[in-house]
Amino acid sequence: MDSLLGLLRIHVHRGVNLAVRDVRSSDPYVVIKMGKQKLKTRVVKKNINPEWNEDLTLSVADPSLPIKIFVYDRDTFSLDDKMGDAEFEIGSFLEALKMRLEGLPNGTIISRVQPNRQNCLAEESCIIWTDGKAVQNIVLRLRNVECGEVELQLQWIDIPGSRGL
């Protein structure tokens, strides 16, 4: 517990224009990895624009570790097909959290992260004050695939007894 900073809740919203890996569609799911942790969404059948709307929660001990996203197509009789991957850092998000911004109006943009060659952002990512907490909306362009994006939202959860930010 001493080494834990807190929890990162990743809301896996949806996939957009994912690659076709079966005859006309795909059965996509997302795997999120950070260090030795590995979390998975449910499979959405026959859909290249899936809506997962699932919350996955990572324990964060080392905030410098990248978070890696892998999208796969579920296959019944063979290995699942890769549908791309992406990764992102949470440094900017944690810096915004450390500002301890209480009482801001809903929708206030705290910080912006620009897409560049070092990240997989498809567009500018805003860290926004919503309902008394900071959240970061992220659209990731998948790599190693012909097309596809995944939309996520990050939210931090403090744990009593952890070393915190």
Side-chain angles (χ1 to χ4, degrees):
M1 196 70 154
D2 294 343
S3 64
L4 202 60
L5 291 173
L7 301 176
L8 182 68
R9 177 176 293 143
I10 302 173
H11 179 77
V12 183
H13 181 56
R14 66 189 184 139
V16 178
N17 194 28
L18 299 179
V20 173
R21 287 292 180 259
D22 294 334
V23 181
R24 281 190 214 89
S25 191
S26 293
D27 304 320
Y29 65 94
V30 175
V31 173
I32 295 179
K33 291 182 182 176
M34 182 183 196
K36 293 184 172 138
Q37 298 175 80
K38 180 178 170 182
L39 303 167
K40 202 157 62 168
T41 66
R42 65 191 165 79
V43 174
V44 176
K45 297 268 188 213
K46 294 181 175 37
N47 199 331
I48 57 168
N49 294 296
E51 300 248 350
W52 289 286
N53 282 320
E54 272 185 59
D55 289 332
L56 303 176
T57 304
L58 292 168
S59 307
V60 179
D62 181 356
S64 67
L65 287 175
I67 296 175
K68 299 179 179 185
I69 307 282
F70 302 89
V71 182
Y72 293 97
D73 167 46
R74 163 74 80 222
D75 284 330
T76 310
F77 301 111
S78 61
L79 289 173
D80 292 352
D81 300 313
K82 290 183 177 167
M83 294 175 66
D85 64 87
E87 68 179 59
F88 62 95
E89 309 269 333
I90 57 171
S92 317
F93 183 56
L94 297 183
E95 288 305 311
L97 291 170
K98 287 178 187 172
M99 292 182 206
R100 301 278 181 225
L101 305 161
E102 303 301 322
L104 284 176
N106 247 359
T108 302
I109 295 175
I110 300 165
S111 177
R112 299 170 194 268
V113 182
Q114 299 299 326
N116 61 38
R117 290 176 189 265
Q118 281 73 50
N119 64 34
C120 294
L121 294 176
E123 58 191 45
E124 178 181 82
S125 173
C126 291
I127 301 169
I128 300 171
W129 189 258
T130 307
D131 299 327
K133 58 189 175 287
V135 297
Q136 182 174 1
N137 296 311
I138 299 177
V139 179
L140 296 170
R141 180 168 292 123
L142 296 174
R143 304 178 293 202
N144 306 313
V145 67
E146 55 274 23
C147 59
E149 295 177 349
V150 174
E151 295 179 12
L152 310 170
Q153 186 181 69
L154 306 183
Q155 182 184 330
W156 187 256
I157 302 169
D158 281 315
I159 306 174
S162 68
R163 70 172 202 227
L165 296 172

